[in-house]
Amino acid sequence: MAETSYDCIVIGSGPGGYVAAIRAAQLGKKTAVIEQDKVGGRCLNYACIPAKAVLRSADLLTEINEADEYGLKVASVEVDYAGVQARREKVVSTLTGGVAGLFKKNKIDLIEGTGALGADGSVLVEAGGSKRTLGAETVILATGSVPRAIPGVQFGGRVIGTEQAWALPELPARLAIVGAGASGAEIASGFARLGSEVLLLEALDRVLPSEDADISRLVERGLKRQGIKVHTGTPVKDVQGTEESVSFSYGEESADVDGLGLAEAGVELDERGLVKVDGRLRTSRKGVYAIGDLVAGPALAHKASDEGVIAAEDSAGLATHPIAYVDIPRATFCTPNVGSFGLTEVQAKEQGYDVIVGKVPYGAVGGGIVYGDRAGMVKLVGESKYGELLGGHIVGARATELIQELVNVRALEGGFAEVARTIHGHPTLSEAVMEAGRAADGWLIHG
């Protein structure tokens, strides 16, 4: 027998889970969240937010070091790494405290412990050696992902994952990073600018291999300017460690499905070991939803949040729509920043489109000159028949913010011609987005 019953129980309190819980509560559901670690999950406590907090310190250091280019003389500057870490902790505590406050505001019960599905539709909670059974009309699984090492490699000692990197108690003198995807590029860029000697290794032929090739090329150039030793096409196979250094094979993340009781509850997995869901995030078990890194699609916090909204609304009987995963914005906060969405040029051609490309450097517009970033670039990928905007790719200052305009244009069924003919403020970096639209439309003004 269930000790307590809820309309909705969410297992996991990361960006997917806490948003799902708040939306369910807004819709009048008696809601509880089960969390085995800290409110906010991996993203707020260990990954996304800590990374950006440390990177912000590195960004400020770069601006100070380049101040003389703007007519400003700075006598000296030093890195107080303990202060950097203290600010990281303050940022994290502020945001996690905000989530806890939202739970109270929306009358959501926070239950500490490990949650699992029971075979009878109940939710089992274990904490401190004791167990309790909860009843729920709807259950939303939002447990995220966990780091997974290559077989034969274990995290520990000097072999660390992303979470441990951003929380290192001392600034490392030397740091080897295996994998030049978004996380690897961010770690490399952050620690190199703070003063570490950084070696970045990537098994594939370029950094940020999932991004458009033109974007990857500019990012690699920028990373090398920061003193990072970049080696692409360089797989790391053997693990050898000493007291002073270590090398290890590249690992990845896997869905955190262990202990959820999925098999016992009749929840099906797909061929990749992810939870199988439909466009409304419903699993094969009635009343059970799964979101975030547990299901297919990019492992992004904002994707999980939107899925949380969809799951909560569907459980309340509201009309929802499936997510077009290809159109979700992607943001990488290394220097230079990268923002992108949709298809790359190569992907668009492989899918049979008659591709049109519009490319403009930041230096073509006033904002790029004023703000000291002439090397940035905006690249639009479109098709000729209908003027459809298939993808947008930006590298340079504020790229992670600028990309949203193109995502919105796509969502509102606009094309590159609409981007070209929308008035943009002057002088701004966003004018480069407009000029890229004009380039795709065949009438580039500045360039």
Side-chain angles (χ1 to χ4, degrees):
M1 289 289 294
E3 299 175 21
T4 307
S5 292
Y6 292 90
D7 298 319
C8 179
I9 292 179
V10 181
I11 303 179
S13 69
Y18 84 73
V19 170
I22 292 171
R23 187 66 183 122
Q26 288 176 340
L27 294 170
K29 290 178 174 288
K30 180 183 178 183
T31 303
V33 173
I34 301 172
E35 175 56 58
Q36 66 177 0
D37 189 10
K38 298 178 180 180
V39 172
R42 183 172 179 268
C43 178
L44 267 67
N45 289 284
Y46 307 111
C48 318
I49 297 302
K52 278 56 180 182
V54 175
L55 284 164
R56 179 58 182 150
S57 295
D59 291 343
L60 284 175
L61 179 62
T62 299
E63 291 182 18
I64 294 170
N65 287 334
E66 295 176 351
D68 60 336
E69 297 180 12
Y70 298 84
L72 303 174
K73 299 294 183 181
V74 179
S76 63
V77 60
E78 63 179 89
V79 175
D80 175 11
Y81 186 72
V84 171
Q85 287 298 324
R87 181 178 183 273
R88 173 190 63 81
E89 293 176 2
K90 183 178 180 180
V91 169
V92 169
S93 64
T94 299
L95 289 173
T96 55
V99 173
L102 289 171
F103 282 174
K104 292 180 180 179
K105 176 183 177 181
N106 290 278
K107 298 179 173 57
I108 297 168
D109 289 344
L110 177 61
I111 301 171
E112 296 181 359
T114 301
L117 297 174
D120 60 354
S122 62
V123 175
L124 310 177
V125 182
E126 182 174 355
S130 62
K131 297 181 180 180
R132 32 186 315 209
T133 301
L134 304 177
E137 178 183 325
T138 297
V139 178
I140 299 177
L141 306 177
T143 51
S145 59
V146 292
R148 183 180 68 187
I150 290 294
V153 180
Q154 294 183 347
F155 291 117
R158 292 183 178 271
V159 180
I160 62 175
T162 301
E163 299 173 2
Q164 292 78 24
W166 295 118
L168 283 169
E170 296 181 357
L171 184 66
R174 294 177 300 278
L175 188 64
I177 301 164
V178 183
S183 293
E186 289 180 347
I187 294 171
S189 177
F191 280 96
R193 288 179 291 148
L194 289 173
S196 299
E197 179 184 335
V198 175
L199 175 65
L200 181 60
L201 305 170
E202 171 56 51
L204 299 179
D205 61 354
R206 54 190 174 90
V207 301
L208 297 185
S210 64
E211 297 290 348
D212 188 273
D214 286 336
I215 302 301
S216 294
R217 191 176 303 112
L218 290 178
V219 171
E220 181 170 340
R221 192 178 302 165
L223 293 176
K224 288 180 176 178
R225 280 199 297 266
Q226 294 162 44
I228 299 168
K229 298 175 182 178
V230 180
H231 294 272
T232 56
T234 309
V236 178
K237 299 179 180 179
D238 299 323
V239 178
Q240 295 181 344
T242 68
E243 293 183 0
E244 296 183 354
S245 64
V246 67
S247 62
F248 58 96
S249 296
Y250 175 59
E252 57 185 22
E253 293 179 356
S254 61
D256 187 8
V257 299
D258 292 340
L260 281 175
L262 301 183
E264 295 82 356
V267 175
E268 296 180 13
L269 303 182
D270 64 17
E271 63 279 2
R272 293 160 294 179
L274 299 173
V275 179
K276 185 184 296 185
V277 293
D278 62 14
R280 288 181 278 184
L281 287 312
R282 297 178 299 183
T283 71
S284 56
R285 175 67 181 261
K286 184 178 180 180
V288 176
Y289 295 75
I291 63 174
D293 295 356
L294 290 178
V295 303
L300 298 170
H302 44 286
K303 173 255 196 186
S305 294
D306 200 59
E307 288 176 333
V309 171
I310 292 172
E313 291 184 345
D314 184 73
S315 71
L318 300 183
T320 63
H321 63 278
I323 296 174
Y325 289 120
V326 69
D327 292 334
I328 294 175
R330 304 177 292 272
T332 303
F333 291 82
C334 60
T335 292
N337 282 184
V338 175
S340 62
F341 92 95
L343 303 178
T344 66
E345 181 179 355
V346 170
Q347 289 170 338
K349 289 178 178 177
E350 289 176 345
Q351 293 187 23
Y353 289 102
D354 184 11
V355 173
I356 290 178
V357 171
K359 289 195 294 186
V360 171
Y362 276 18
V365 299
I369 307 299
V370 169
Y371 294 105
D373 188 356
R374 304 179 67 174
M377 182 185 71
V378 180
K379 178 176 180 178
L380 304 188
V381 178
E383 58 83 40
S384 62
K385 186 175 182 180
Y386 301 108
E388 185 179 1
L389 182 60
L390 301 175
H393 311 275
I394 307 177
V395 56
R398 305 292 185 268
T400 54
E401 305 287 343
L402 294 172
I403 193 62
Q404 191 62 45
E405 173 186 353
L406 297 175
V407 173
N408 294 348
V409 168
R410 170 74 177 180
L412 296 173
E413 299 184 352
F416 52 79
E418 282 70 32
V419 175
R421 295 188 180 277
T422 300
I423 298 173
H424 288 63
H426 174 76
T428 63
L429 293 172
S430 69
E431 287 181 288
V433 178
M434 174 184 67
E435 288 291 354
R438 290 174 174 176
D441 206 29
W443 54 286
L444 175 64
I445 299 294
H446 298 91

